[in-house]
Amino acid sequence: MELFDNLALGIETAVRLENLLYCLIGVVLGTAVGVLPGIGPTATIALLLPITFNFPPVSALIMLAGIYYGAQYGGSTTAILINLPGESSAAVTAIDGHEMARKGRAGVALAAAAIGSFIAGTVATIVIVLFAPPLSAVALTFGSQEFFSLVVLGLIASIALARGSTVKALAMIVLGLLLGTVGQDTYTATPRFVFGVRELYSGINFVSVAVGMFGVAEILRNLEDERTRKLITHKIAGLWPTREDFRRMVGPVARGTAIGSGLGVLPGAGHVLASFGSYSVEKRLSRRKQEFGHGAIEGVAGPESANNAAAQTSFIPLLTLGVPANPVMALMLGALIIHGITPGPNVINDEPALFWGLIVSMWIGNFFLVLLNLPLIGIWVKMLAIPYKILFPVIIAFASIGTYSLGLNAWDVFMIAFFGVLGYALVKVGCEPAPLLLGFVLGPLLEDHLRRSLIISRGDLLTFVERPVSAGLLALAVVALALAVLPAIRKKREVVFANEDDL
Amino acid sequence: MPAARRALKDILAGGIFIALGLAFAFGALAYSIGTPLRMGPGYVPLVLGGLLAILGVAVIVKGFMAGEGEEIGTPDWRAVILVAAALFFFGITVRGLGVVGALFGASLMAALARSQTSWKEALAIAIGITVLSVVIFIFALQLRLPLVGPWIPV
C-alpha cells in the first residue's frame, strides 16, 4: 500500500530524536512569543524564522511547523484573554472567547480551544494523508469565477458574526473591501489612495488593521469604561470544562473539523473562511442563539477546530501548488525557498521524506501543544491578574515594536493608531469590527478574481451563473443573505410595534 | 424620546459610512475607470464607494424607523489622543532615537492615557516596559534594531 509506505516514511522522519526535539522547541518558542500581547502569529513567525536558517531543511521545516502551531495557539490565547487577535481567523475566537474570559471562564475557553484544535489537527492529518493528491486536483479545477463566488459567499456568511444590525455589518464588509484596495493595483500598478506615501504602495498591513481595530479600540473602550464605571473584575470560575461544556463541544468540534479540512485546501484565505464559516454554522444550528456573542463555548470550540484543521490542510496548496493561502503561509513559502525547496507539484515526488515528515510532524506538533498548554492554562489566565494600568501600555509597546519589526515600516505603526481610533468610533456607534476585517482580507482576492473572470468571459457578467459550481455558491450566498435579513426585519417590526427591546 | 435622538447612533454610523464611501468614490474618479471587460484601477473602488454610501443612507433610514436609543457616552479624549500619540511617537522616533528612547516615550504616553495613573507611576511603568521589551526583543529574539539612534550623540 502506497499510503502506508508514505505514512511510514513520514513517521520514520518525524520521530527521529533530533526532529522531535526541534518540533518541541518550535512549539515552546512559538507559544511563548505568540502569547505576548500585541504579537500575533505573523509577527511571531517572522521574529523566530531566522533561528531555523541554520538547520538542515527537514528539521528546519519541522521546527517551523512547531512554531506555526505554537504561534497560532498563542494568538488564540491573547484573543481570548485580552481580545487581541493577531490573525484574521483568531478574530472569530475573540468574539465569544473574550466574552467567556470576562465572565470568568477564561480557563474553560482556553481548554476548549486546545482540545478542539488537537482533535481537528489529528483528523486533518489523516485527511491530508488520504486526500492530498485528489484534493489538490479539485482545487485546481476552481477557476476565477468559482473563487469570486466563494469569496462572496464567505463575506455574506460573515454577517452572522455581527451582533447588531445586518445593514451595519454589510456596510462594514464594504468598508473593509475598500480599505483592501489601498495600494498598487495589481493589473496596472497604479497606486490607489496612497496620498503619495511610498510606504503604502504595498497596501495597508493586515497586522496593523487587526491590532488597531481589536486591540487598541478595546483599550480605548476599557479606559472610557474605567473612567465612568468600574471595570468588570475577573473572577475565575474554574479552569476545566465541565461535563456539560464537553457535551456542548462535541458537535461544534466535529463540524468545525469538517468545514476546516474542506476549506483549508482552497488556495487563498481558506482558513479565514473556515473559522468564519464554522461560527456561522454553529450560530444557525444552536438552540441557544442568544448566547452567541455573549460567551458561547460553541463559538470557541467550532472556529478553533475549523481554524486548526484548515491550518493543516492549507499546507496542501502551499506544498502542491506553491500558493500561499495567508500571510503566515507566505512566510513559510519564503522559508522553503531559503532552504532551496521550490514549492510546487514536484515536492511530493522529489522530496517525499520532507513532505511526509512534515505532515506527520504536524500531528506531533499538535500533540506537544496540548501536552504543553493544558497544564499551562493556569499560568496564561494569570495574565488577567496583571493590573490594567500596566497591561495596556505593555500591549501598546509590544504591538509597536512587533509590528515595526515586520517590515521596519513606521507607517505600519501609524496605521495601528488610525485603525484604533476608527475602530473605537465604529464600536461606539454600534458596528462590530469582525466583518470589516474579513472584507479587508478578502478584498484584493475578490477584485482580482472579478476582473480576471470578466476578462476571461469578455465582459459578460452572466459567466458567474453559467458555471454550475459558481452558480451554486452564489445561490447559497443569496439564501444566506435572505436568512440574515428576514428575521432582522421581522424583529425590528416587533420592536417598533411592541416598543420594547428584546435583545 | 424624539426620533432623531433615538437614532443618534445610527445617524453617526451612517454618516461615517456615507463620508468614507463618497471619499473613496470621488478618489476613484481620479484613476482610470475602464469598462467591465477591462476594468481600470478606479472601477471597483467607485462601485464599492457608491455601495457604501447607499448602505450608510440605509443605516440612517433604519435608525429613524427603529432606533435603539442607547446612550453613546462621551469619548475619553485624553485616552484617544495619548494612545494615538504614543503609537505615532514610536513610529517617528524609532529610527532616530533608537529602540530605548522610542519605547520609553511611547510607553510613558500610553501609561498616562489612563487619567487615574499618576506621573510617578507612569514613569515606573515606562521604565519597566522599556527594560522588559529590550530584554525580550533585542537580547532574546535578536531583533536587529539599534538601541540608541543617531539623534542621540554618544
Side-chain angles (χ1 to χ4, degrees):
Chain A
M1 274 287 284
E2 199 194 347
L3 185 74
F4 289 107
D5 290 346
N6 289 337
L7 211 52
L9 178 64
I11 292 169
E12 194 190 312
T13 314
V15 298
R16 254 186 279 156
L17 192 64
E18 78 262 22
N19 286 346
L20 278 180
L21 195 66
Y22 286 132
C23 187
L24 180 66
I25 295 172
V27 170
V28 172
L29 283 178
T31 315
V33 179
V35 294
L36 294 178
I39 311 288
T42 318
T44 306
I45 294 170
L47 283 167
L48 292 174
L49 201 54
I51 299 173
T52 65
F53 289 166
N54 305 321
F55 300 121
V58 179
S59 309
L61 279 179
I62 287 175
M63 186 169 175
L64 209 57
I67 293 175
Y68 176 43
Y69 293 117
Q72 230 181 7
Y73 187 74
S76 305
T77 307
T78 44
I80 288 169
L81 293 180
I82 46 188
N83 198 14
L84 206 72
E87 200 196 11
S88 40
S89 48
V92 186
T93 313
I95 301 172
D96 274 283
H98 186 58
E99 281 303 316
M100 284 179 78
R102 290 175 86 120
K103 294 199 165 88
R105 284 168 42 86
V108 180
L110 289 175
I115 296 167
S117 295
F118 175 65
I119 295 172
T122 307
V123 176
T125 305
I126 299 168
V127 169
I128 295 188
V129 172
L130 288 177
F131 298 111
L135 275 180
S136 55
V138 170
L140 270 176
T141 66
F142 265 49
S144 278
Q145 288 91 334
E146 281 76 23
F147 276 116
F148 173 82
S149 306
L150 182 74
V151 171
V152 170
L153 175 61
L155 289 172
I156 298 293
S158 80
I159 293 175
L161 293 170
R163 234 176 293 169
S165 111
T166 314
V167 193
K168 279 182 184 165
L170 270 174
M172 290 293 273
I173 292 173
V174 177
L175 181 55
L177 291 173
L178 278 167
L179 291 167
T181 65
V182 173
Q184 261 180 332
D185 169 37
T186 39
Y187 286 77
T188 60
T190 311
R192 296 187 287 190
F193 310 111
V194 296
F195 304 104
V197 177
R198 189 159 286 282
E199 285 87 347
L200 286 179
Y201 274 35
S202 56
I204 300 169
N205 192 331
F206 165 77
V207 175
S208 308
V209 183
V211 172
M213 293 289 290
F214 280 87
V216 175
E218 166 87 2
I219 287 173
L220 292 174
R221 215 159 42 132
N222 283 340
L223 287 176
E224 180 195 326
D225 280 355
E226 203 186 17
R227 205 189 42 173
T228 48
R229 67 191 106 98
K230 274 208 93 60
L231 257 180
I232 308 153
T233 44
H234 296 288
K235 252 186 273 147
I236 293 154
L239 296 178
W240 201 245
T242 60
R243 190 176 287 264
E244 166 72 2
D245 288 328
F246 275 116
R247 210 182 47 70
R248 287 175 62 176
M249 275 165 59
V250 174
V253 169
R255 284 186 291 269
T257 304
I259 294 171
S261 306
L263 287 178
V265 185
L266 298 168
H271 79 308
V272 185
L273 289 174
S275 47
F276 280 78
S278 160
Y279 189 89
S280 317
V281 167
E282 293 314 323
K283 197 173 167 186
R284 281 270 158 251
L285 291 179
S286 175
R287 268 168 293 154
R288 310 182 185 81
K289 281 194 186 59
Q290 70 285 357
E291 271 182 41
F292 277 79
H294 300 282
I297 193 166
E298 291 91 340
V300 178
E304 274 297 297
S305 311
N307 182 11
N308 208 48
Q312 209 99 319
T313 52
S314 67
F315 273 96
I316 294 179
L318 180 71
L319 290 173
T320 57
L321 308 175
V323 180
N326 50 61
V328 172
M329 282 293 145
L331 284 171
M332 298 292 276
L333 180 75
L336 281 165
I337 291 169
I338 285 168
H339 285 289
I341 297 150
T342 317
N346 296 327
V347 173
I348 194 166
N349 297 325
D350 294 354
E351 308 259 2
L354 180 135
F355 185 89
W356 296 106
L358 182 62
I359 285 169
V360 172
S361 71
M362 288 174 188
W363 182 79
I364 295 176
N366 273 301
F367 179 69
F368 281 147
L369 201 62
V370 175
L371 219 59
L372 182 75
N373 276 296
L374 286 182
L376 287 183
I377 284 176
I379 295 177
W380 300 144
V381 170
K382 291 230 169 60
M383 213 195 287
L384 292 174
I386 301 172
Y388 199 66
K389 64 181 172 191
I390 296 173
L391 183 63
F392 86 86
V394 170
I395 296 174
I396 291 171
F398 283 13
S400 306
I401 192 166
T403 312
Y404 183 72
S405 73
L406 285 178
L408 301 186
N409 183 347
W411 275 86
D412 287 346
V413 184
F414 300 157
M415 280 294 150
I416 300 178
F418 173 77
F419 282 100
V421 176
L422 180 69
Y424 176 56
L426 285 168
V427 167
K428 273 184 88 63
V429 296
C431 301
E432 301 270 323
L436 182 143
L437 209 61
L438 188 66
F440 176 77
V441 175
L442 296 181
L445 211 62
L446 184 81
E447 181 178 4
D448 187 31
H449 287 299
L450 172 70
R451 286 165 76 171
R452 203 181 298 169
S453 307
L454 288 175
I455 289 172
I456 295 167
S457 75
R458 314 208 134 273
D460 183 7
L461 274 168
L462 287 176
T463 178
F464 295 109
V465 288
E466 276 163 0
R467 295 170 64 112
V469 176
S470 165
L473 290 168
L474 282 180
L476 270 176
V478 171
V479 172
L481 186 62
L483 281 175
V485 172
L486 291 179
I489 292 174
R490 214 179 306 135
K491 203 171 82 193
K492 283 291 178 254
R493 285 172 63 93
E494 276 164 24
V495 172
V496 173
F497 291 122
N499 203 15
E500 63 179 14
D501 206 323
D502 61 336
L503 266 172
Chain B
M1 198 160 33
R5 175 91 187 279
R6 211 152 35 92
L8 188 59
K9 257 190 175 180
D10 295 323
I11 294 172
L12 288 173
I16 294 174
F17 292 136
I18 294 172
L20 288 173
L22 291 181
F24 269 106
F26 279 113
L29 291 177
Y31 312 119
S32 134
I33 303 298
T35 62
L37 171 57
R38 288 239 168 256
M39 290 186 183
Y43 197 101
V44 169
L46 178 66
V47 172
L48 289 176
L51 182 62
L52 183 60
I54 294 169
L55 285 169
V57 173
V59 168
I60 294 178
V61 170
K62 216 178 137 202
F64 273 104
M65 278 162 56
E68 277 146 17
E70 283 169 64
E71 283 299 319
I72 295 183
T74 9
D76 188 344
W77 293 115
R78 177 194 172 109
V80 172
I81 291 166
L82 278 171
V83 166
L87 288 161
F88 275 102
F89 180 85
F90 182 89
I92 293 167
T93 63
V94 65
R95 246 172 238 267
L97 285 182
V99 172
V100 173
L103 270 173
F104 177 75
S107 28
L108 184 65
M109 285 183 215
L112 286 170
R114 178 175 171 273
S115 46
Q116 298 94 323
T117 304
S118 71
W119 264 97
K120 266 188 192 160
E121 269 181 305
L123 266 173
I125 292 171
I127 292 170
I129 290 177
T130 309
V131 172
L132 183 71
S133 315
V134 168
V135 168
I136 293 179
F137 291 97
I138 308 294
F139 295 132
L141 293 172
Q142 300 280 311
L143 199 60
R144 297 199 187 281
L145 293 174
L147 284 175
V148 177
W151 292 357
I152 301 173
V154 182

